[in-house]
């Protein structure tokens, strides 16, 4: 969520490099349409393929981070990258909450309430970290930081087979 919120909070300066200063609304519409599609897709997959969907979502966002980093000056590439990003974001809440509730078992009420705190902290952290990155290195630092955060998340989710994604 931290990676998502860095990019979402500072999407306007990020897309300006590709000349999309006046098209931020269309960029966000692209994100939103993809996120809606992701919600539908996640609903179809979450019960039977939770772990693999989480891993695919993280890997897809990581690949997208590389893509937008390499092609950040291209408006067409930004739209493709933002669509990819929306596909990975729309179902994220469902995936994370389902995994957390399954792993917490009888403690799911407490775990899910803590999830709200973590989620809101990621929103604030995205604004703070993104602001520091923007001020110190500009938006060109975003894709590398996103990739690092996503690779850490991917490693955690990958290794959490038994405890993070219990059977049943």
């Amino acid at each position: 969520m931290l990676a998502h919120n860095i990019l979402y909070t500072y999407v306007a300066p990020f897309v300006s490099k590709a000349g999309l200063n006046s098209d931020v609304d269309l960029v966000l519409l692209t994100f939103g349409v993809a996120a809606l599609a992701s919600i539908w897709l996640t609903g179809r997959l979450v019960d039977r393929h939770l772990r693999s969907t989480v891993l695919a979502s993280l890997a897809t966002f990581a690949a997208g981070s590389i893509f937008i980093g390499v092609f950040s000056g291209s408006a067409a590439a930004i739209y493709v990258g933002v669509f990819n990003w929306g596909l990975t974001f729309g179902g994220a809440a469902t995936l994370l909450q389902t995994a957390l509730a399954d792993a917490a078992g009888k403690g799911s009420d407490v775990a899910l309430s803590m999830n709200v705190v973590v989620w809101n902290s990621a929103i604030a952290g995205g604004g703070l970290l993104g602001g520091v990155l923007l001020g110190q290195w500009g938006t060109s630092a975003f894709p590398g930081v996103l990739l690092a955060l996503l690779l850490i998340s991917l490693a955690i989710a990958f290794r959490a087979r038994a405890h993070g994604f219990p059977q049943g």
Side-chain angles (χ1 to χ4, degrees), residues 85-140:
W85 168 37
L87 284 176
T88 68
F89 181 77
T94 301
L95 294 171
L96 295 174
Q97 289 175 12
T98 302
L100 185 58
D102 288 352
K106 292 183 182 196
S108 64
D109 288 345
V110 173
L112 290 172
S113 65
M114 290 173 60
N115 185 56
V116 173
V117 173
V118 172
W119 194 280
N120 286 323
S121 297
I123 293 170
L128 290 170
L129 181 55
V132 169
L133 294 171
L134 185 62
Q136 295 295 315
W137 298 283
T139 58
S140 61

Side-chain angles (χ1 to χ4, degrees), residues 2-129:
L2 183 60
H4 283 293
N5 284 294
I6 290 169
L7 192 53
Y8 195 80
T9 303
Y10 296 100
V11 69
F14 184 78
V15 301
S16 68
K17 190 182 216 180
L20 296 171
N21 307 39
S22 61
D23 295 326
V24 174
D25 54 346
L26 295 175
V27 170
L28 290 174
L29 177 64
T30 301
F31 173 84
V33 167
L36 285 173
S38 175
I39 292 167
W40 175 83
L41 183 61
T42 299
R44 308 265 312 155
L45 299 172
V46 68
D47 289 330
R48 291 185 315 261
H49 307 287
L50 176 60
R51 182 172 180 267
S52 60
T53 305
V54 168
L55 294 172
S57 178
L58 290 168
T60 302
F61 190 19
S65 297
I66 295 168
F67 181 82
I68 63 173
V70 171
F71 300 107
S72 62
S74 165
I78 290 296
Y79 279 106
V80 170
V82 166
F83 190 85
N84 172 74
W85 168 37
L87 284 176
T88 68
F89 181 77
T94 301
L95 294 171
L96 295 174
Q97 289 175 12
T98 302
L100 185 58
D102 288 352
K106 292 183 182 196
S108 64
D109 288 345
V110 173
L112 290 172
S113 65
M114 290 173 60
N115 185 56
V116 173
V117 173
V118 172
W119 194 280
N120 286 323
S121 297
I123 293 170
L128 290 170
L129 181 55

Side-chain angles (χ1 to χ4, degrees), residues 140-166:
S140 61
F142 288 6
V145 171
L146 298 178
L147 181 61
L149 291 169
L150 290 161
L151 291 176
I152 291 166
S153 300
L154 192 57
I156 291 168
F158 184 79
R159 295 198 59 186
R161 176 183 288 272
H163 299 292
F165 300 93

